[in-house]
Amino acid sequence: MLEIVAFSTLNGVLYGMLLFMLASGLTLVFSMMGVLNFAHVSFYMLGAYFGFEIERRVGFWPGFVIAPIAVGAIGAAVERFGLRRLHRLGHVSELLFTFGLAFVIEQIVEMIWGKLPVDYRVPPSLDFVAFRLFDTTYPAYKIFMLLTAVAMFAALFVVLKRTRIGLVIQAALTHPDMVAMLGHDVPRIFMLVFGAGAALAGLAGVIAGPALVTQPTMAALLGPILFVVIVVGGLGSLSGAFIASLLIGLVQTFAVAMNGSLAAIFGPVAPPYLGDLWQVTVAQLAPIIPYLLLVVILMVRPTGLMGTRES
């Protein structure tokens, strides 16, 4: 039991930090521009494929740096030549644009790399055992993923709270007209923030690609749970996204490790109105638990854990 608790906690924190790497960029974009970017996880997928292409040519570490920058440049171009033209038409047009963009990116990926998973491997420099606990080994690459996510969270906090750039960005969130009168190019700030959000998603793809499966459906698999994270945490709240990411990561990981069921607690004889549900284990329910949590949060606190209601 202690082994299950220890490794479920490690894996839950790791999964939660991966979710935060995605949710942070999406939260920044939404809080500044009011755009719920449905194509955000597609930038995550592009980061994985760009990292794969660079890794097989010049190595993992150049891809670790270049791929997020390339994805961020694509994101900035999407805002400059796409979303910026749609702002005056309202949020519905922006949502439809990003929704269609997600399908376009997926089709482009399938045309270039095919529909089968690619062989994106853990780099040899990180392919070793970090430590052994309860006769079970834990890979160093997962520790690297966790440390990268923590470093990214710390860097975001410092930039937004302790630098002049962060002050300008935060001011542009609430008082864009005043920021413009002070001489700052607000549309350029929006473009850079959107590109930074895409770059964060691309970085998540670069480091998650070798550990997970890099395939054209990876965006669709992670997209729904990402929107659960930002709604549970509170739309536009970076601290809420962090808390919700860890919460959902831990809840889902612990649920996967549990084989308990109503039959195990109350006996094998099921009441007539439950039927086969009596035998369903917690592990089998794990994929839907985050969505049940979403429903409960919306019922109890519609603004999310750290969200605030707009006046």
Side-chain angles (χ1 to χ4, degrees):
M1 178 59 69
L2 186 58
E3 181 178 359
I4 293 175
V5 170
F7 279 95
S8 294
T9 302
L10 281 173
N11 291 329
V13 171
L14 177 63
Y15 181 51
M17 292 305 293
L18 175 61
L19 290 177
F20 174 72
M21 291 184 72
L22 285 166
S24 59
L26 185 57
T27 299
L28 283 176
V29 171
F30 180 83
S31 62
M32 172 168 281
M33 304 171 63
V35 177
L36 199 56
N37 181 14
F38 280 102
H40 191 73
V41 285
S42 298
F43 295 130
Y44 157 78
M45 177 174 62
L46 284 179
Y49 275 97
F50 286 179
F52 161 71
E53 278 297 324
I54 298 172
E55 187 260 351
R56 71 176 187 171
R57 286 174 167 78
V58 294
F60 174 81
W61 295 109
F64 181 76
V65 176
I66 298 173
I69 295 175
V71 175
I74 294 174
V78 166
E79 196 284 331
R80 173 62 182 85
F81 300 105
L83 283 173
R84 188 177 299 184
R85 301 172 182 268
L86 298 174
H87 288 330
R88 59 185 177 84
L89 300 178
H91 295 314
V92 174
S93 297
E94 294 170 340
L95 287 175
L96 292 175
F97 174 81
T98 59
F99 189 74
L101 180 63
F103 284 98
V104 170
I105 293 176
E106 181 178 343
Q107 293 302 313
I108 292 175
V109 166
E110 289 185 358
M111 290 171 60
I112 297 176
W113 288 283
K115 295 184 178 182
L116 297 177
V118 297
D119 188 21
Y120 191 10
R121 299 183 179 182
V122 173
S125 57
L126 294 173
D127 191 13
F128 60 91
V129 175
F131 59 85
R132 182 182 296 272
L133 185 63
F134 300 107
D135 295 326
T136 303
T137 59
Y138 202 78
Y141 190 76
K142 287 189 176 182
I143 300 297
F144 167 72
M145 293 174 63
L146 179 60
L147 293 177
T148 302
V150 171
M152 192 204 71
F153 172 70
L156 274 176
F157 180 83
V158 171
V159 169
L160 292 177
K161 301 295 184 181
R162 296 289 187 269
T163 66
R164 184 173 180 272
I165 295 175
L167 293 176
V168 172
I169 291 175
Q170 292 184 79
L173 301 180
T174 54
H175 301 87
D177 295 334
M178 181 62 69
V179 172
M181 285 189 288
L182 291 173
H184 298 286
D185 189 342
V186 174
R188 179 175 293 180
I189 294 174
F190 285 176
M191 181 185 70
L192 293 177
V193 169
F194 194 92
L200 292 176
L203 177 60
V206 172
I207 68 171
L212 306 177
V213 179
T214 302
Q215 58 185 351
T217 58
M218 62 188 301
L221 292 174
L222 204 55
I225 195 69
L226 175 61
F227 285 98
V228 170
V229 168
I230 64 169
V231 173
V232 169
L235 290 172
S237 172
L238 192 63
S239 58
F242 179 74
I243 294 172
S245 298
L246 288 178
L247 176 63
I248 291 175
L250 289 168
V251 167
Q252 193 162 19
T253 304
F254 271 95
V256 169
M258 298 175 64
N259 290 320
S261 65
L262 293 175
I265 299 174
F266 300 105
V269 180
Y273 53 86
L274 286 180
D276 293 338
L277 292 177
W278 195 253
Q279 305 291 335
V280 175
T281 64
V282 177
Q284 291 173 311
L285 293 175
I288 68 171
I289 288 178
Y291 304 98
L292 294 176
L293 177 63
L294 171 65
V295 172
V296 172
I297 289 294
L298 290 177
M299 291 173 59
V300 176
R301 185 176 172 81
T303 57
L305 296 175
M306 303 291 289
T308 56
R309 187 183 299 275
E310 295 183 2
S311 59

